[in-house]
Structures are given as structure tokens and as C-alpha cells.
Amino acid sequence: PTLWEDVVKTIATTNVTWSNTRSMIERLVAHLGDPFPLNPALRAFPTPAQVAAADPERFAAEIRMGYRNAYVQGLAQEIVSGTRDLEALQRANLSAAELKKELKSIKGVGDYAAHTLLMLMGHYGELAIDSELRSFVTARYFPDATPTPQEMATIYAAWAEWKYLAY
């Protein structure tokens, strides 16, 4: 996988259930990905060029990513036009804070998505506060209450740059 694929899949996880995320990605691959020559039933994750070239109305009707449609197609267009180079970002020698700033400059990437992507890029100092983390922390540490995001983060604070791995 590429950072392009990771960003798109992470955007697809925001504000939806896991089954909805899977459905969005399955439709994206089925409609825009190239078939595998030895088994045309299998398809590759679409390239930025394939996503950028898709008609926005068709994309909305067939891929059905909701408000994420514009984010995914916009990112693809930025990559194709050369205004954004995700692979160079992945190779860049930037601090986690600098990478987070760059990731958050992508429309559709907020703190949750940036922290998830940082983890995928080998930076573990931030936690992606989502329903899975909330469920785990509540069951493990707060069985009689609903923790705030700050309370959840405090549990892993001592792990500093390794928080995500500790979780």
C-alpha cells in the first residue's frame, strides 16, 4: 500500500461504522481499480489518476462516500496535478509534529485521521481517539463511567512517543 491508499482508507473510516467503511472501499476498488490479469474478479486499489478522472456525479452515485467524495477526489487531483506529493511526504525527514501539520493540510484529515496516519508512518506519540479506543479504555479502565478524550489520553501519557504501541 501507498500513503495515498492509507489516506483514502483513513478518510473512509471517519464518522461511520466499520462495515460502511469496508463498503465504500469495496465500491471504490470495484468501480475504478484495474483488474488483476490472472483473475479479473480481483482489482487493485485505484490510482490517484483513476480517481481524479472519474466523473464527480458518477463517483457520488457509484462509490457513495458521502461528504468524503470531494475530499478523496480533491486529493487525487492535487496528486495528479503535482501540487501534493504524498510519497515524498512519506520519505521526508520531518518530525511527527511537522508530519501532522502536513497531513492535516489534506482536506478531510483531522486529528483522528492524522494520528492514525502518523502511526502507519511509524510515529506512535499520538492516539487516534475513536470509538474503538473509547470502547477499549472504557472497558479496561472506566467500567462505571464514560471517559473524556483527555482522560483516555492521560492513561497512555507516560508512554510518551510510544503511546500508540502501548495502546
Side-chain angles (χ1 to χ4, degrees), residues 8 22 27 48 56 72-73 76 93-94 98 105 119 121 123 133 138 147-148 150 164:
V8 171
R22 288 187 58 196
R27 289 188 299 269
V72 171
Q73 283 204 291
N93 188 21
L94 299 175
E98 292 168 317
S105 74
M119 180 269 303
M121 296 171 76
H123 297 274
L133 177 69
T138 299
T148 66
Q150 181 59 39
Y164 220 121

Side-chain angles (χ1 to χ4, degrees), residues 48-49 52-53 73-86:
Q73 283 204 291
L75 176 59
Q77 291 161 356
E78 289 177 11
I79 293 168
V80 169
S81 72
T83 59
R84 187 176 303 273
D85 186 346
L86 288 181

Side-chain angles (χ1 to χ4, degrees), residues 25-155:
I25 298 303
E26 286 170 2
R27 289 188 299 269
L28 181 67
V29 170
H31 288 282
L32 298 178
D34 286 332
F36 181 59
L38 299 177
N39 182 351
L42 300 176
R43 293 183 168 272
F45 194 83
T47 66
Q50 290 169 313
V51 172
D55 175 71
E57 289 180 19
R58 183 175 163 232
F59 191 93
E62 293 177 351
I63 313 303
R64 299 190 323 268
M65 296 183 85
Y67 68 88
R68 299 164 203 82
N69 291 342
Y71 298 153
V72 171
Q73 283 204 291
L75 176 59
Q77 291 161 356
E78 289 177 11
I79 293 168
V80 169
S81 72
T83 59
R84 187 176 303 273
D85 186 346
L86 288 181
E87 298 315 308
L89 180 62
Q90 189 160 3
R91 293 185 308 272
N93 188 21
L94 299 175
S95 69
E98 292 168 317
L99 278 173
K100 180 178 175 178
K101 182 178 177 184
E102 289 296 322
L103 291 167
K104 286 185 68 174
S105 74
I106 300 168
K107 289 183 180 166
V109 174
D111 282 336
Y112 155 77
H115 296 169
T116 298
L117 292 164
L118 283 168
M119 180 269 303
L120 293 172
M121 296 171 76
H123 297 274
Y124 308 107
E126 302 274 3
L127 291 172
I129 307 287
D130 65 353
S131 58
E132 286 301 314
L133 177 69
R134 184 172 287 109
S135 177
F136 174 77
V137 169
T138 299
R140 178 84 166 90
Y141 301 102
F142 297 89
D144 299 321
T146 302
T148 66
Q150 181 59 39
E151 289 171 322
M152 290 187 281
T154 299
I155 290 172

